[in-house]
Amino acid sequence: MTQPVAASAETCREAGIRLKRGELVAFPTETVYGLGGNACESQAVAAIFAAKGRPAFNPLIVHVADLAMAQTLTVFSDAARVLAARFWPGPLTLVLPRREATGLSDLVSAGLPSVAIRMPAHPVARAILLAAGCPVAAPSANPSGRISPTSAAHVADGLGNRVAMIVDGGPCAVGVESTVLDLSGDSPRVLRPGGVTADEIAAVLGCPVDYAPAPVSGGALLSPGLMTSHYAPGLPVRLNAVEAAPGEALLGFGAVPGATLNLSPNGDTTEAAANLFAMLRALDTCAYRGIAVSPIPVAGLGIAINDRLMRAAAPRPDGQG
Ligand code: AMP
Ligand code: MG
């Protein structure tokens, strides 16, 4: 069982060396903890899929230390350049056409002609990526279908026996995954709402941005990984609850008397996003028979929070994540 080690110059360097040679390392980003593997080593990428129990048709996000690396792997359009200048490093993933012969494992993009790529802002992630010197595939460091980890302890809980190293950089500041923006088609479209909103992207691009996340139930999938059931606690989740039913825990937002836990007593969606996954985990115990969640405004980070909550509340035929 791998125990977390505190982030330091030395442990970040060790993490980079381990990644470079094909081992799996979990590390913090500003969104959630990632399960990293060398994106140029198919063995390492396959090990990520195996450790998570993730279907291999669900492609991974490639993390880079700098813009130059992103540009060697993908065809960077003008829109990509403008968005990277404004939002990188940060919680925005760009889906761009893959360049030929980059050394990137085909498994990383599940055979698609595009690659999802991001430069994370967390100083520990940046130090590790710099030390690795290679692109690093890193989905959230949780077993597929479960709640994403926002602390090193969450990672140890779910994948402690599947990783060589867990670097502890404290709790994640953003708390929900990156926004996935597809720039490989005719017009930009958001495939997954996240840390950067579609409105912010549209303002920078000066053009409308389609908002086309995967449907919560059924329907065609634009992004293979964005399945119905995702981010799911073991207990049933009930949304837009005014109060708890008997036996339910109440996850509040704003001034909610009697909340078991409160995402943000002041009604701040940024604070709520940072608390979301840790509080869902804390309530996901046999002490309750379900989790009722207060309404969250559909604005700013609230868009991503509502997206994750709808997936947590959806029926669960398949485990994804
Ligand atoms: P995760 O790594 O678990 O945070 O999830 C990454 C998300 O990005 C998944 O929903 C993937 O389906 C999506 N994704 C990754 N690569 C691509 C791609 N080339 N085209 C469309 N979506 C992608
Ligand atoms: Mg995930």
Side-chain angles (χ1 to χ4, degrees), residues 19 28-29 64 77 100 143 178 213 248 250 272 284 289 291 301 311:
L19 282 167
T29 79
V64 293
S77 59
E100 304 270 326
S178 60
E248 273 184 338
L250 179 60
D284 192 20
R289 64 169 186 79
I291 303 171
L301 270 179
R311 291 173 203 286

Side-chain angles (χ1 to χ4, degrees), residues 126-154:
R126 288 173 64 75
I128 291 173
L129 289 168
L130 264 179
C134 61
V136 172
S140 51
N142 55 286
S144 188
R146 311 307 305 186
I147 302 170
S148 295
T150 52
S151 75
H154 296 162

Side-chain angles (χ1 to χ4, degrees), residues 206-218:
C207 73
V209 172
D210 286 341
Y211 176 62
V216 168
S217 282

Side-chain angles (χ1 to χ4, degrees), residues 239-243 251-254 256 263 293-298 306 309:
L239 305 182
N240 298 314
V242 178
E243 56 185 13
L251 182 56
F253 177 86
V256 175
L263 290 167
V293 188
S294 299
I296 317 278
V298 188
N306 277 288
L309 283 172

Side-chain angles (χ1 to χ4, degrees), residues 2-6 25-27 33 152-153 155-156 159-160 163-168:
T2 302
Q3 295 299 333
V5 294
V25 174
F27 59 86
Y33 273 70
V155 178
L159 293 176
V163 290
M165 186 176 186
I166 302 171
V167 181
D168 187 348

